[in-house]
Amino acid sequence: MPALTDADTIRILVATDSHVGYNERDHIRGNDSSKSFHEVMCLAKDRDVDMVLLAGDLFHDNKPSRKSMYEVMRSLRINCYGEKPCELEMLSDPSECFQGAFNHVNYEDPDINVAIPVFSIHGNHDDPSGEGHLAALDLLQISGLLNYYGRTPESDNILIKPVLLQKGQTKLALYGMSNVRDERLFRTFRDGKVKFFQPGTQKSDWFNIMSVHQNHHAYTETGYLPENFLPEFLDLVVWGHEHECLIDPRLNPEMNFHVMQPGSSVATSLMPGEAVPKHVAILSITGRDFKVETIKLKTVRPFVIKDIVLCEHKEIKKLAKVEDNRSKITQHLIAIVDDLIEQAKAEWLEAEDEPEDDEELKVPLPLIRLRVEYSAPEGGNFDCENPQRFSNRFVGRVANVNDVVQFHRKKAGATRKTQNGADLPEESILAQMNIDSIKVEKLVREFLTAQSLTILPQNSFGDAVSQFVDKDDKHAMEMFVNESLSNQIKHLMDVDQYDDDDMQNAMDQCKSKLEELFAAGHLKKTKKAKLKPKPDNWDTDLDGEWGDQPGALIHSDVEDGEEDDDGVSVTSTVTAAKGRGKPAAKKATTPAKKTAPATKPGRGRKKIVEESEEEDEDVVMVDDDEEDEDELFVKPAAPASRGKKPAATKAAPKAAPKAAAAPKRAPARAAAAKSQSTLNFSQSQPASQASGRGTARGKAVQEVGGDEISDDDDAFAPPPPTARSARGRR
């Protein structure tokens, strides 16, 4: 084999977690993310790389604003289009790696000239959502600016196929796996449902690189992706999602591959991991060997963080037993912040190149975070100023004018309780839960460990909170509570007794079953939130997203225009309320769907059938053949009355002459009181007829003579002409 030269080297610029659009409404920090991304793309053009590899979270939101989309498209078009031919040769089938109308790599499109192709997976911030399950990356791919690969349409059955590229004698297999919920991905790997495909020939000649976007550290037992879950044939893993910059490749001796964690290009939280200098890397691959060149980003806003303990400062410790020591403590902290500001400016100037002309460099306002542990010695007290008031002292000198300082203290104590009696975790656990670094799911789990939910399933509750916080889904909690209560009500409809203990046991059983189904991955999100039509005069840029408004969500079918008429609503409600405790109504639920089509019911009963079928679809199961899970969700008792009503209506015309001859009403009331299954408004019947039929009609609204009886399809006596005209108007 001839010696490899520069013509055989594939040069890749590696970056991740650009978070374009982060804090874009802030008048100071609003453009930080787009500036850093543009610097990354300019580096790709200036260094003449062959391709750019992004490992997720290009956007901070899965519904990026017009400004964010504009900035990304502008930067990609400026730096990626050009007359320079792309020297990468596509060897794999593009339709296996890319989806959509243009399922091919963009630099092979005859209508556009791409000099530097960009390959990207999606992260947890810019994941697909909404109708069509599209991501923001789909828009960039359809426009020919980016190649979106590594999709994961099924989280419980993942197939990973590589993008095969070649330049000269160097062959590159590019694997990608977009973000999947960590607990579910852990279970999928554990169950052996993740399959990797390799090239069919010359497997030893390929350099295998993979990009992932998952938790790298074990925040929980299953809330991360262990490195040993990945296959051993990989050579390099580019790890996204973690913002701390660990750009130098680290060898995993167990799996014999290297791991690179580029980190984010913009600070999205004020924590120590974000204070590490931001870098990107140029990866040069020649044959099976690679080398890395790291480049420090210069447009990143300077960020300095410091932790202090007041008791460790001698001059402050003496003030613990002095009354009214706030002013002196505040002056001491102000001096520390002033030093941090000067330190941030010096570090930024040191990283910048000297200007060609004599113009003075303008230092951007830095990010400063001072974390103060103000636990006082026994018998003393540290009176600290309000954090926001303290931070506002530095307006015009720092970029984060509302959260410069963070006060916290250690307190030894047992389990605490809130005003409503709910137990809280111990102080030691809360002290470890830094607001900047804690995961929402862990926070929810710790709080639910100290107390228990009676109705709502706990594991799916944590998932709903995570969706509300991480994905900015305004309706996640509302939809979760409504669906959980609906499932509980359906289950309680099957309870024969009204004893408190039985009801409590049934609720616990339903909650446990829902938690098991969610943990096993069989219980999916039920119904998608329906939104009211957006008003014509609604301006999204000024008023915000219409879907985020509280009044945009449709809470019930009545608001959605599916309101039943009054008679049907009353009958359905009373039947469900009173018939659920009767064994007869419980047995009738099984043949209800078969009995209803036998006759041609009126319009009111037909609406009940459609409504019941919609309710049956509320809970979606992955495995349709598991009959034991279907027993958990009992159908409402309304179909039971549907199964009996046609029989009663068939008999009504035959019994009408007897009802006319015997106008006594007391036996009819006694029979109606005896059955108590439905609330009816039809003709009265004798006691013998009413007792023989469990669903016989009650009081008569209008007595019908024998000559007025007909065998029409509705099985009702024809109404007078006035009633017919009224029905026509309805």
Side-chain angles (χ1 to χ4, degrees):
M1 183 177 180
L4 300 177
T5 63
D6 291 342
D8 303 313
T9 301
I10 300 178
R11 305 179 73 245
I12 306 173
L13 189 142
V14 181
T16 183
D17 292 271
S18 299
H19 286 275
V20 177
Y22 170 74
N23 210 7
E24 62 182 345
R25 296 184 181 276
D26 190 293
H27 69 284
I28 299 177
R29 306 164 60 186
N31 296 323
D32 287 1
S33 58
S34 58
K35 286 181 180 179
S36 298
F37 176 74
H38 185 63
E39 181 187 4
V40 172
M41 299 311 302
C42 290
L43 284 173
K45 184 177 181 180
D46 296 340
R47 298 301 182 97
D48 193 23
V49 299
D50 294 304
M51 58 176 283
V52 177
L53 179 61
L54 303 177
D57 278 355
L58 172 58
F59 294 99
H60 185 69
D61 192 358
N62 60 1
K63 296 178 291 185
S65 64
R66 299 178 191 174
K67 178 183 176 182
S68 299
M69 183 63 71
Y70 170 80
E71 293 293 342
V72 169
M73 297 179 74
R74 180 183 68 89
S75 183
L76 289 174
R77 181 166 180 174
I78 291 175
N79 297 287
C80 296
Y81 283 3
E83 297 180 356
K84 183 189 78 127
C86 181
E87 300 181 20
L88 298 176
E89 180 183 359
M90 185 79 174
L91 300 182
S92 58
D93 184 3
S95 61
E96 295 286 342
C97 308
F98 309 105
Q99 299 177 6
F102 300 93
N103 54 354
H104 56 264
V105 70
N106 64 344
Y107 63 85
E108 292 184 352
D109 195 314
D111 299 324
I112 55 178
N113 194 1
V114 177
I116 303 176
V118 179
F119 294 84
S120 177
I121 62 175
H122 76 250
N124 60 310
H125 281 265
D126 54 3
D127 56 335
S129 63
E131 186 176 357
H133 200 63
L134 298 175
L137 299 184
D138 284 296
L139 302 181
L140 299 179
Q141 175 172 305
I142 204 69
S143 60
L145 295 170
L146 179 143
N147 301 292
Y148 176 24
Y149 79 112
R151 303 169 191 255
T152 52
E154 297 181 58
S155 58
D156 54 355
N157 184 26
I158 301 177
L159 304 178
I160 302 178
K161 300 181 180 181
V163 178
L164 302 180
L165 304 172
Q166 182 176 0
K167 179 182 178 183
Q169 300 297 323
T170 301
K171 297 180 176 64
L172 174 64
L174 184 62
Y175 293 85
M177 182 178 63
S178 295
N179 178 263
V180 180
R181 188 170 178 269
D182 289 289
E183 288 78 7
R184 178 164 292 181
L185 183 63
F186 189 98
R187 183 174 59 250
T188 305
F189 267 101
R190 183 190 58 196
D191 297 341
K193 296 296 184 64
V194 181
K195 184 177 181 181
F196 288 80
F197 292 80
Q198 290 185 262
T201 58
Q202 302 176 339
K203 293 184 179 180
S204 59
D205 295 341
W206 292 87
F207 185 88
N208 303 288
I209 182 174
M210 182 175 183
S211 56
V212 298
H213 193 95
Q214 304 293 149
N215 282 340
H216 202 178
H217 304 289
Y219 297 102
T220 62
E221 294 181 1
T222 61
Y224 74 111
L225 175 61
E227 292 182 3
N228 56 10
F229 276 11
L230 300 176
E232 296 181 353
F233 65 80
L234 295 176
D235 297 296
L236 178 65
V237 178
V238 178
W239 210 290
H241 185 62
E242 299 288 350
H243 284 203
E244 183 178 3
C245 182
L246 302 174
I247 195 73
D248 296 323
R250 173 185 54 83
L251 176 65
N252 184 325
E254 178 186 357
M255 307 303 297
N256 199 29
F257 56 64
H258 289 79
V259 179
M260 173 193 293
Q261 182 176 302
S264 65
S265 58
V266 62
T268 59
S269 61
L270 302 179
M271 56 184 299
E274 296 278 16
V276 179
K278 307 291 186 181
H279 290 79
V280 295
I282 294 181
L283 177 67
S284 300
I285 304 172
T286 306
R288 293 297 304 274
D289 300 327
F290 74 95
K291 62 180 181 179
V292 175
E293 176 190 359
T294 61
I295 304 174
K296 184 178 180 180
L297 298 178
K298 299 179 180 179
T299 57
V300 178
R301 187 176 296 275
F303 175 29
V304 178
I305 186 172
K306 185 176 182 179
D307 290 88
I308 65 170
V309 180
L310 291 182
C311 286
E312 296 179 357
H313 294 253
K314 296 181 180 180
E315 62 275 14
I316 298 298
K317 188 176 181 179
K318 298 177 182 178
L319 300 175
K321 297 183 179 181
V322 177
E323 295 184 1
D324 194 15
N325 54 16
R326 174 181 294 187
S327 59
K328 294 185 178 181
I329 294 176
T330 301
Q331 292 176 3
H332 179 75
L333 297 180
I334 290 176
I336 296 178
V337 173
D338 290 337
D339 294 339
L340 294 179
I341 294 175
E342 296 300 324
Q343 177 186 344
K345 291 181 178 180
E347 292 177 355
W348 189 86
L349 291 173
E350 182 181 355
E352 291 294 318
D353 297 331
E354 294 184 3
E356 298 179 356
D357 48 14
D358 295 335
E359 293 184 4
E360 183 179 356
L361 291 175
K362 183 179 180 181
V363 181
L365 298 180
L367 296 171
I368 303 297
R369 169 53 67 91
L370 178 63
R371 301 196 297 189
V372 181
E373 200 272 288
Y374 68 107
S375 299
E378 185 177 357
N381 179 44
F382 289 130
D383 187 9
C384 298
E385 191 177 24
N386 178 274
Q388 186 168 0
R389 184 181 304 159
F390 178 88
S391 302
N392 289 340
R393 294 174 179 268
F394 303 94
V395 172
R397 301 181 60 195
V398 299
N400 54 319
V401 295
N402 293 320
D403 50 5
V404 172
V405 67
Q406 180 185 19
F407 294 108
H408 64 94
R409 61 180 177 180
K410 298 179 181 179
K411 183 193 301 182
T415 303
R416 301 187 305 160
K417 287 191 175 182
T418 58
Q419 295 180 356
N420 58 1
D423 294 332
L424 296 179
E426 295 182 358
E427 256 333 305
S428 58
I429 297 178
L430 290 176
Q432 298 174 4
M433 294 182 179
N434 191 314
I435 192 64
D436 292 331
S437 59
I438 188 61
K439 297 292 181 180
V440 175
E441 297 173 0
K442 183 178 180 181
L443 182 65
V444 173
R445 183 170 56 258
E446 292 293 346
F447 273 82
L448 294 182
T449 301
Q451 56 190 356
S452 60
L453 298 177
T454 306
I455 300 177
L456 304 177
Q458 294 191 184
N459 49 6
S460 49
F461 177 81
D463 180 68
V465 176
S466 178
Q467 293 290 327
F468 176 79
V469 176
D470 296 337
K471 301 299 178 59
D472 199 22
D473 187 350
K474 299 293 190 303
H475 308 299
M477 293 302 300
E478 184 177 4
M479 295 296 295
F480 162 72
V481 173
N482 292 340
E483 292 167 5
S484 300
L485 294 179
S486 176
N487 293 337
Q488 278 282 9
I489 293 174
K490 290 181 181 180
H491 182 64
L492 294 178
M493 294 290 289
D494 195 35
V495 179
D496 297 336
Q497 303 295 332
Y498 290 91
D499 186 75
D500 293 342
D501 295 336
D502 295 337
M503 296 286 287
Q504 184 63 41
N505 293 335
M507 292 167 60
D508 294 339
Q509 178 185 1
C510 179
K511 184 173 77 76
S512 301
K513 187 65 176 179
L514 289 174
E515 291 176 349
E516 293 175 3
L517 294 177
F518 183 85
H522 293 165
L523 188 61
K524 294 184 176 180
K525 189 175 181 180
T526 55
K527 294 189 299 183
K528 178 185 174 183
K530 296 182 180 180
L531 301 178
K532 298 177 182 177
K534 185 171 67 173
D536 296 336
N537 59 349
W538 187 269
D539 191 332
T540 304
D541 290 339
L542 297 178
D543 303 328
E545 292 289 339
W546 169 247
D548 296 341
Q549 306 304 315
L553 182 65
I554 296 178
H555 297 272
S556 64
D557 293 339
V558 176
E559 297 183 38
D560 199 18
E562 300 178 3
E563 182 178 4
D564 297 341
D565 49 64
D566 296 339
V568 174
S569 300
V570 173
T571 304
S572 175
T573 304
V574 175
T575 303
K578 296 186 177 180
R580 61 184 175 185
K582 295 181 61 178
K586 181 180 177 182
K587 294 179 181 178
T589 56
T590 303
K593 289 187 177 180
K594 298 182 180 179
T595 306
T599 61
K600 296 181 179 179
R603 287 173 289 182
R605 289 186 297 277
K606 184 175 181 181
K607 288 184 178 181
I608 297 179
V609 174
E610 295 175 352
E611 181 182 0
S612 176
E613 291 175 355
E614 290 179 1
E615 293 175 357
D616 293 342
E617 295 177 357
D618 279 350
V619 178
V620 181
M621 301 293 177
V622 174
D623 297 328
D624 297 330
D625 54 347
E626 296 184 6
E627 298 178 358
D628 55 335
E629 296 175 3
D630 294 337
E631 297 176 359
L632 174 63
F633 305 100
V634 180
K635 301 171 185 175
S641 60
R642 268 189 272 131
K644 293 183 179 182
K645 281 183 181 179
T649 54
K650 285 286 185 181
K654 298 180 181 180
K658 295 182 180 180
K664 295 182 179 180
R665 304 187 180 218
R669 280 197 296 268
K674 182 179 180 181
S675 62
Q676 297 243 337
S677 60
T678 56
L679 181 62
N680 303 305
F681 300 94
S682 61
Q683 297 88 351
S684 62
Q685 298 190 23
S688 58
Q689 295 286 344
S691 59
R693 298 180 177 87
T695 58
R697 301 284 179 168
K699 280 187 177 182
V701 178
Q702 178 182 2
E703 295 186 0
V704 183
D707 54 345
E708 296 179 1
I709 300 175
S710 68
D711 296 327
D712 55 355
D713 292 338
D714 288 337
F716 285 107
T722 56
R724 184 179 296 110
S725 61
R727 178 179 296 181
R729 288 191 298 271
R730 288 173 58 189

XYZ file of all heavy atoms in Angstrom, residues 412-416 424-427:
65
model
N -27.547 21.752 59.578
C -27.801 20.366 59.969
C -29.226 20.259 60.461
O -29.638 20.966 61.374
C -26.831 19.927 61.065
N -29.985 19.383 59.843
C -31.386 19.226 60.235
C -31.975 17.995 59.624
O -31.430 17.407 58.686
N -33.078 17.573 60.176
C -33.763 16.389 59.673
C -34.727 16.806 58.574
O -34.642 17.889 58.009
C -34.489 15.681 60.824
N -35.673 15.935 58.318
C -36.644 16.189 57.262
C -37.504 17.388 57.611
O -38.014 17.494 58.726
C -37.535 14.953 57.065
O -36.686 13.852 56.782
C -38.505 15.177 55.931
N -37.651 18.300 56.667
C -38.460 19.485 56.887
C -39.849 19.291 56.310
O -40.108 18.372 55.553
C -37.806 20.700 56.232
C -36.420 20.997 56.735
C -35.959 22.304 56.156
N -36.037 22.277 54.708
C -36.077 23.357 53.951
N -36.088 24.550 54.503
N -36.126 23.265 52.640
N -40.104 17.412 52.878
C -39.041 17.819 51.969
C -37.807 16.969 52.245
O -37.666 16.415 53.340
C -38.707 19.304 52.157
C -39.811 20.302 51.825
C -39.320 21.717 52.099
C -40.219 20.177 50.373
N -36.904 16.856 51.265
C -35.662 16.116 51.524
C -34.846 16.772 52.620
O -35.064 17.918 52.998
C -34.940 16.178 50.167
C -35.999 16.474 49.171
C -37.019 17.303 49.882
N -33.866 16.040 53.103
C -33.014 16.566 54.155
C -32.195 17.741 53.640
O -31.949 17.888 52.453
C -32.081 15.463 54.675
C -32.826 14.317 55.362
C -31.859 13.275 55.893
O -30.645 13.453 55.672
O -32.311 12.316 56.526
N -31.731 18.562 54.579
C -30.964 19.750 54.211
C -29.694 19.376 53.470
O -29.262 20.070 52.568
C -30.565 20.492 55.475
C -31.265 21.748 55.900
C -31.897 22.608 54.865
O -31.217 23.006 53.926
O -33.049 22.925 55.014
